[in-house]
Amino acid sequence: MIDYYEAIDLLKGMIARPSFSREEEAVADFLQASWEKEGHKVFRKGNNLWIIAPGFDFGKPTLLLNSHIDTVKPASGWTRDPFAPEETEEDRLYGLGSNDAGASVVSLYAAFCALSGQEQPYNLIFLASCEEEVSGRNGIESALSELPPIAFAVVGEPTGMRPAIAEKGLMVLDCVATGKAGHAARNEGINAITLAMKDIEWFSTYQFPEQSDLLGPVKMTVTIIHAGTQHNVVPDKCEFTVDIRSNEFYSNERLYDIIREHVGCEVKARSFRLSSSRTDREHPFVQRALMMGKEPFGSPTLSDQALMRFPSVKIGPGDSARSHSADEYIETMEIREAIDTYIRLLNGLRL
């Protein structure tokens, strides 16, 4: 079992090694070496690392502890070196990835070590995955194919140790409205922008009937638009992008079919992979969280939960508002509290 101070040191080692999505090799090498030094057998696929607790029994359900080792690139406005871990007198640890999601990685690892030191009514696997920030196919999706069936997962993301039992999914649409080119000075051509405006108005105002008590309605936002070549040519093409955040009542495939029935433009989905998820309040983990005074909520932000086809809850130290921001930090006491909370939530839990 590692202690709180070792967890902080491990996090400092992670911060000191740039680990942008798809470029995580240095931090993966560091973590693998650190965990092997602790006596663990570390499995690796690409830059995904996992450890299986001793005494694996196919007669027991398997519980997965997961968080990610990759980061976004530093935002503008940093006043510190994002790769130089800096601990202040206010017990804050600054550095890129400290909050999202290095603190969860080291806290879950510490909890894994404690929980695997005694017999549990479940098999336990700890997985530190890569490419989460870009939902890459070489991330958790690749690692899960190497693991036994999972009954339940705890996903470490900054939630202030509140359990997110539902999470919105994501689908991105690339849309094209096609008209006919003509001279702007004459009454000719079919303006693709005018055609697109009708569909953009629909995306901006349509309300899907099924609304979630935790996640609210499906949200559609037009975020990018391109059209035209010069001022005096009626554009024959208008391209725009729509960001769609789904709730648990709609699969991305169903949303896509409904949208195509309502709009006139050509619509292509980049992917259907990133689904909304929800775990029932009656799940034993959620019930234990409630007994500890932790009220579940629905998360609007995406995580690797979207690629899990089994029940999961997102819970971890830190604050989502600090993620991807300049001068990102974690309060060191948040890590201490997270380790203790994970152990209390999971020790002896019957799935």
Side-chain angles (χ1 to χ4, degrees):
M1 176 178 176
I2 69 168
D3 63 22
Y4 155 76
Y5 297 103
E6 290 172 316
I8 297 296
D9 288 341
L10 191 65
L11 179 53
K12 289 179 179 178
M14 293 178 67
I15 293 168
R17 293 163 173 83
S19 56
F20 307 137
S21 299
R22 300 192 177 100
E23 301 175 23
E24 308 97 344
E25 186 172 0
V27 76
D29 289 346
F30 164 70
L31 291 172
Q32 181 175 4
S34 299
W35 295 337
E36 287 178 343
K37 187 177 179 181
E38 292 285 333
H40 298 290
K41 180 178 181 180
V42 180
F43 298 87
R44 182 166 180 168
K45 184 177 184 181
N47 291 323
N48 300 289
L49 309 171
W50 65 93
I51 310 169
I52 301 174
F56 189 94
D57 179 354
F58 280 102
K60 294 180 178 180
T62 297
L63 191 154
L64 178 68
L65 307 180
N66 166 249
S67 191
H68 64 93
I69 63 174
D70 61 313
T71 73
V72 296
K73 293 187 177 180
S76 61
W78 274 81
T79 63
R80 297 170 163 82
D81 182 345
F83 306 110
E86 180 182 346
E87 195 169 358
T88 68
E89 292 181 356
E90 295 83 16
D91 293 323
R92 289 182 174 181
L93 176 58
Y94 286 88
L96 183 66
S98 56
N99 180 77
D100 184 17
S104 289
V105 172
V106 301
S107 299
L108 283 169
Y109 171 65
F112 170 85
C113 293
L115 293 165
S116 60
Q118 51 190 299
E119 186 174 355
Q120 299 292 344
Y122 49 77
N123 302 309
L124 188 61
I125 299 176
F126 168 66
L127 167 64
S129 50
C130 63
E131 296 192 9
E132 188 271 349
E133 297 289 2
V134 294
S135 301
R137 291 187 181 273
N138 293 319
I140 193 170
E141 203 169 30
S142 171
L144 287 175
S145 67
E146 304 293 323
L147 302 183
I150 305 299
F152 179 71
V154 174
V155 179
E157 288 282 341
T159 70
M161 293 308 292
R162 291 180 60 210
I165 65 171
E167 178 183 87
K168 280 199 167 182
L170 169 66
M171 179 172 60
V172 179
L173 299 181
D174 293 310
C175 305
V176 180
T178 302
K180 183 179 179 182
H183 197 297
R186 294 189 289 270
N187 187 23
E188 61 185 32
I190 301 172
N191 195 320
I193 294 176
T194 303
L195 297 178
M197 286 171 60
K198 297 176 183 177
D199 289 337
I200 291 171
E201 175 70 11
W202 182 85
F203 279 114
S204 301
T205 58
Y206 184 78
Q207 292 289 317
F208 289 91
E210 297 286 351
Q211 299 199 15
S212 167
D213 59 330
L214 288 172
L215 297 175
V218 173
K219 187 174 187 298
M220 300 191 292
T221 308
V222 176
T223 54
I224 303 172
I225 185 167
H226 296 290
T229 56
Q230 58 191 59
H231 77 88
N232 58 353
V233 177
V234 173
D236 63 354
K237 182 182 291 187
C238 181
E239 302 171 313
F240 59 97
T241 301
V242 188
D243 177 293
I244 300 176
R245 306 290 169 148
S246 56
N247 62 28
E248 72 272 27
F249 293 113
Y250 297 93
S251 68
N252 286 331
E253 290 87 347
R254 185 182 173 204
L255 289 174
Y256 180 73
D257 289 340
I258 294 171
I259 289 165
R260 290 185 65 192
E261 292 174 359
H262 284 81
V263 300
C265 60
E266 179 186 355
V267 178
K268 291 185 179 179
R270 296 183 186 178
S271 170
F272 295 127
R273 296 164 58 232
L274 304 174
S275 305
S276 177
S277 64
R278 180 165 183 159
T279 295
D280 195 278
R281 287 176 68 96
E282 298 306 311
H283 190 279
F285 180 91
V286 181
Q287 286 296 301
R288 186 173 283 194
L290 284 165
M291 286 189 290
M292 291 172 58
K294 297 186 175 297
E295 184 62 30
F297 73 105
S299 173
T301 57
L302 197 71
S303 75
D304 275 339
Q305 274 188 296
L307 297 168
M308 296 178 178
R309 305 300 180 241
F310 41 80
S312 61
V313 170
K314 181 165 65 178
I315 179 171
D319 184 339
S320 182
R322 300 178 208 152
S323 301
H324 306 180
S325 65
D327 293 339
E328 179 183 351
Y329 69 89
I330 189 74
E331 294 181 1
T332 55
M333 281 303 298
E334 291 177 305
I335 294 176
R336 184 192 293 272
E337 292 167 3
I339 295 170
D340 177 67
T341 300
Y342 283 140
I343 293 170
R344 290 170 60 202
L345 283 167
L346 296 170
N347 191 27
L349 181 70
R350 295 196 173 276
L351 298 173

